[in-house]
Amino acid sequence: MTDERITQHEEEAAVEESHEDRLGALQAERDELFDRLQRLAAEFDNFRKRAAREQGEVVSRANERLVKELLPILDDLGRALEAAAEHEEAKLEEGVRLVHRSLATVLGREGLAEIETEGTFDPHVHEALLSQPSELDEGAILQVIQKGYRLGDRVIRPARVVVSAGPPEPPEPAAEDES
């Protein structure tokens, strides 16, 4: 019987030792995975910071390019103001037209386009400030208060317009008093 106890005890010890070995292996694997997870999180954080820094640099360079294109327009505007100070109205008007044309060209190259205001009201690109009766159909644009613009496909400012409410209602005949 003692041999049986010793064998059973040895088996239990072997099983316990096997469990401890597996437990140790699992803990080591857990530690290794946790370490890999921490490293991956740190790498991702570094990537995120680097991408944000690079994006900022791209935006800065894009702004620099646009500012360089706007500098000649600033110079033209300065010349127009000098002409105004010297009361040279013809040169002033010419200078202002030149500045306007130059600025419109630069912004057009950047993708800026004026929103069309001929035809009917479109709530996606127009903002109705007033509605008034007119001989035109309801929804027709009567007047542009402020031009609207798109940058690429996006509306950056809707056109502010006055819209027709349709033909005016005819006055109703007044009922005569029977006295």
Side-chain angles (χ1 to χ4, degrees):
M1 224 165 162
T2 54
D3 285 342
E4 262 182 45
R5 263 197 215 172
I6 292 173
T7 309
Q8 187 179 6
H9 187 64
E10 286 175 353
E11 284 178 14
E12 287 175 0
V15 167
E16 192 174 312
E17 189 176 309
S18 171
H19 285 314
E20 286 177 7
D21 288 346
R22 283 191 7 196
L23 181 61
L26 287 174
Q27 286 175 339
E29 184 179 354
R30 179 205 62 201
D31 292 344
E32 180 185 333
L33 289 173
F34 184 71
D35 184 54
R36 286 176 50 196
L37 178 62
Q38 283 181 320
R39 288 176 193 269
L40 186 60
E43 286 176 19
F44 180 73
D45 191 43
N46 290 338
F47 167 77
R48 186 180 51 78
K49 288 176 184 176
R50 185 175 62 248
R53 186 174 52 250
E54 288 172 357
Q55 183 180 9
E57 290 171 3
V58 166
V59 167
S60 177
R61 275 186 259 128
N63 288 342
E64 181 181 327
R65 184 183 53 79
L66 180 59
V67 167
K68 280 183 180 178
E69 287 192 50
L70 291 175
L71 286 176
I73 297 169
L74 185 63
D75 295 338
D76 291 342
L77 191 56
R79 284 189 285 278
L81 289 171
E82 287 173 15
E86 296 172 11
H87 301 291
E88 298 179 33
E89 284 79 17
K91 284 186 178 180
L92 173 63
E93 182 180 351
E94 181 183 328
V96 171
R97 287 187 192 284
L98 174 66
V99 170
H100 183 267
R101 188 171 41 250
S102 298
L103 185 57
T105 300
V106 168
L107 294 174
R109 281 196 306 260
E110 294 299 316
L112 187 74
E114 191 175 317
I115 291 175
E116 184 64 41
T117 53
E118 298 295 319
T120 59
F121 176 78
D122 178 357
H124 297 102
V125 295
H126 301 127
E127 180 181 340
L129 297 180
L130 295 169
S131 176
Q132 63 187 37
S134 78
E135 298 304 317
L136 297 175
D137 292 336
E138 184 177 344
I141 295 175
L142 298 175
Q143 180 183 1
V144 178
I145 305 296
Q146 185 178 46
K147 293 180 181 182
Y149 294 94
R150 294 179 191 267
L151 187 59
D153 293 339
R154 296 183 59 196
V155 173
I156 60 171
R157 184 175 79 189
R160 294 187 170 135
V161 296
V162 176
V163 181
S164 172
E169 297 286 326
E172 293 188 23
E176 293 183 27
D177 286 333
E178 293 180 24
S179 313

